[in-house]
Amino acid sequence: MDIKQAYQKNIMDTYSRFPLVIVKGEGSVVFDESGKKYIDLTSGIGVNAFGYQDKEWLKAITQQAGIIQHTSNLFYTLPEARLAELLVRKTNMSKVFFSNSGAEANECAIKAARRSSLLKNGKGYHNIITLKNSFHGRTVTTLSATGQEQYHKDFFPFTEGFLYADTDNSENIKELVKNNGCAAIMIEIIQGEGGVCVLSDELIQTIKELTSKYDIPLIVDEVQTGNGRTGKFFSYMHFDLKPDIVTTAKGLGGGLPIGATLFSERFQNALSPGTHGSTFGGNPISCAGAASIIERLDDKLLLEITEKGRFIAKTLSALKSVKSVSGKGLMLGVEIEGDIKQAITGCIQNGVLVLSAKNKIRLLPPLNIGMDELNEAMNILKSSL
Ligand SMILES: Cc1ncc(COP(=O)(O)O)c(C=O)c1O
C-alpha cells in the first residue's frame, strides 16, 4: 500500500506532514519505511514521555488490557484510583477529573471555574482572562480561550467571555481584571505553541497578586509543560505559585490518550454529579500507563531532565547560527538565523526529528533520552544548523 497516497485519498487534509512514514520506534529513535533511523527530539509533541517501547509502560498497558479495557464511569476501577492518588500526592491538589486530551482537560477547567463563580458571585462574573500568544486547544471554547487571532479567523462565533492580556505589560492584565467580572485567570507558564516563551517573573507575580486580591482562581495549563517536561513535576513549581486548577495531558499518558484536571481543596466541589462527564475519561489502560510514568518522575529524574536541558541549551547557544535558546528542562525553543522550515527539513534529512513553534525550532525529547543519543543528535544539529 502507498501510505502517503492513501492519506491523500482518505484522510481529511488538516495537517502539513513531513514526507516520512514512521513504521517503528525504539527508545529515543524511530525508523521510516526504508529502515532509515532518526533520533526523535519531538516525542510525538511531548507525548511519548519515556520514548518508544518503554518496558514499564508497555507492561502496565498490556497487562491492564488483559484484565479489563473499559467499564464506564458508572463503576469504580483500580487504575483510575491509583493514578488519581499518585497525582494528588505529587501535587498537593485535592481532586482529579480524567478526560482524553488537553483541550478536554481545559474545557473541564473552564466549566468548573464558571460554575464556581456563578455559585459564589451570581451572574456577570464569567469572564476568563487568558494571555495573548497562548494556546489552549482546538475545540470551540478552548480556541476561544486561545489568545491568537490566527486560530480564530474561520470559526466565528465563539464561546464568549474570554479576554486576552498582554504578556509584556503587567498593567494590561490589572486593568482587565479590575474592569470585568472574572471567573478565572488561565495561563501557560511556558507558551509552547506560542514559541516556547517563558512568562516573565513580573507577570507571574502580578497574576499571583491579582488572583489573591480579587479572589479568583488561577488555572495553569500544564498540557505541554507538565509531567516532568520542564524539570519540575509541573512548570508552576519553578515559581512561588499555588494554582487552584491545573490541567494536563500529553506526556501524562506516555503515548495513550488521557487528560486530567486537578483541583485544589478550595475548588474540590467545583463540579458535582451530572455537571460534567466523559465516556473514556479514566480509561483503565490509559490510567495504568500514566501511573507507570508518574511514579518514576522522582527528584533524580527531574534533575537529569534539567541537566540534559542545560546541556542542549549550552551546546546550541554556542553555534553562530543560533540567536537564542528559550524554555526549561527538555522543552526548548531555538531561535536561528535563516529559514526555519529549511533548517527543520535539513535536520530531518540528516536524521534528527525536530518541531517548530512560531519562529523557533522546538525540542521535546523523551525525558529519559540517553547521553549517547543526545550527543549524536547535537552533532547532527550542529552540522544541520
Ligand atoms: C498548552 C496546551 N494546551 C492545550 C493543548 C491541546 O491539547 P490536545 O491537542 O491534547 O487537545 C495543547 C496542545 O498542543 C497545548 O500545548
Side-chain angles (χ1 to χ4, degrees):
M1 180 183 202
D2 184 325
I3 296 174
K4 283 180 221 152
Q5 235 172 43
Y7 265 61
Q8 264 160 21
K9 186 159 175 273
N10 303 315
I11 293 189
M12 195 70 160
D13 188 20
T14 62
Y15 301 102
S16 49
R17 297 175 204 273
F18 295 112
L20 283 187
V21 178
I22 302 288
V23 293
K24 193 178 166 189
E26 268 174 30
S28 300
V29 301
V30 294
F31 298 89
D32 72 9
E33 279 176 308
S34 70
K36 182 173 169 183
K37 181 184 108 174
Y38 302 83
I39 302 175
D40 183 5
L41 301 188
T42 74
S43 306
I45 321 192
V47 166
N48 304 319
F50 287 88
Y52 302 92
Q53 298 191 42
D54 168 64
K55 283 200 172 56
E56 288 182 44
W57 178 81
L58 200 55
K59 187 172 157 208
I61 63 159
T62 48
Q63 269 189 355
Q64 186 55 45
I67 298 170
I68 190 160
Q69 83 276 26
H70 176 79
T71 54
S72 74
N73 282 308
L74 302 178
F75 303 99
Y76 300 94
T77 60
L78 175 65
E80 184 174 14
R82 264 193 70 220
L83 179 61
E85 193 179 56
L86 270 171
L87 285 170
V88 162
R89 192 158 12 103
K90 292 262 184 197
T91 59
N92 284 326
M93 299 296 270
S94 288
K95 290 268 165 78
V96 188
F97 178 87
F98 288 114
S99 52
N100 307 286
S101 67
E104 213 188 334
N106 285 338
E107 289 271 347
C108 172
I110 291 162
K111 280 179 71 177
R114 288 217 165 141
R115 183 169 188 270
S116 301
S117 177
L118 185 71
L119 298 179
K120 176 168 158 255
N121 305 311
K123 283 189 180 164
Y125 289 81
H126 57 266
N127 292 295
I128 296 184
I129 313 283
T130 66
L131 297 179
K132 290 182 184 161
N133 198 43
S134 57
F135 185 82
H136 296 295
R138 302 265 186 183
T139 60
V140 172
T141 296
T142 57
L143 267 187
S144 193
T146 293
Q148 296 192 59
E149 193 48 37
Q150 69 180 89
Y151 292 106
H152 292 170
K153 56 183 174 43
D154 297 336
F155 302 108
F156 289 98
F158 279 109
T159 309
E160 28 176 289
F162 289 93
L163 302 163
Y164 315 115
D166 293 341
T167 52
D168 56 356
N169 160 20
S170 298
E171 293 309 308
N172 178 244
I173 194 165
K174 286 185 196 166
E175 286 298 308
L176 287 177
V177 176
K178 189 171 134 205
N179 296 328
N180 297 279
C182 286
I185 296 178
M186 180 169 177
I187 59 171
E188 296 154 90
I189 300 289
I190 304 177
Q191 297 183 319
E193 301 302 309
V196 196
C197 305
V198 186
L199 298 189
S200 69
D201 290 352
E202 189 201 335
L203 184 63
I204 288 177
Q205 184 57 30
T206 303
I207 289 170
K208 189 178 165 193
E209 285 164 16
L210 287 171
T211 52
S212 155
K213 180 171 169 191
Y214 292 92
D215 191 25
I216 46 179
L218 174 63
I219 304 173
V220 180
D221 177 340
E222 297 272 2
V223 169
Q224 192 162 151
T225 48
N227 313 298
R229 175 56 56 191
T230 71
K232 297 273 185 195
F233 188 80
F234 281 139
S235 65
Y236 73 78
M237 294 171 180
H238 289 283
F239 299 89
D240 176 25
L241 272 183
K242 282 204 166 58
D244 293 296
I245 306 178
V246 177
T247 65
T248 194
K250 285 189 182 280
L252 173 63
L256 282 179
I258 186 168
T261 312
L262 286 81
F263 296 92
S264 68
E265 196 178 355
R266 229 159 54 98
F267 282 80
Q268 62 178 325
N269 298 317
L271 295 167
S272 62
T275 57
H276 199 51
S278 175
T279 295
F280 284 106
N283 173 269
I285 302 175
S286 295
C287 285
S292 85
I293 303 283
I294 296 305
E295 62 195 5
R296 282 180 281 166
L297 290 175
D298 57 14
D299 288 347
K300 182 171 169 282
L301 182 66
L302 293 174
L303 187 63
E304 282 170 22
I305 291 166
T306 304
E307 283 168 354
K308 284 175 190 167
R310 286 199 183 122
F311 165 73
I312 297 174
K314 195 171 162 212
T315 308
L316 296 181
S317 299
L319 300 184
K320 250 173 90 182
S321 58
V322 170
K323 292 209 265 185
S324 69
V325 180
S326 61
K328 286 183 185 295
L330 290 174
M331 177 173 178
L332 296 168
V334 185
E335 192 190 1
I336 57 160
E337 307 274 1
D339 185 69
I340 186 90
K341 272 201 183 130
Q342 218 177 319
I344 289 176
T345 306
C347 293
I348 294 178
Q349 274 167 358
N350 293 333
V352 176
L353 301 188
V354 296
L355 295 158
S356 67
K358 289 271 171 81
N359 63 336
K360 294 185 187 161
I361 294 177
R362 180 172 34 153
L363 305 178
L364 297 167
L367 303 180
N368 61 347
I369 187 166
M371 276 317 288
D372 286 354
E373 273 149 352
L374 207 47
N375 274 314
E376 196 183 333
M378 288 304 108
N379 286 336
I380 294 173
L381 289 194
K382 275 187 209 166
S383 58
S384 308
L385 300 178

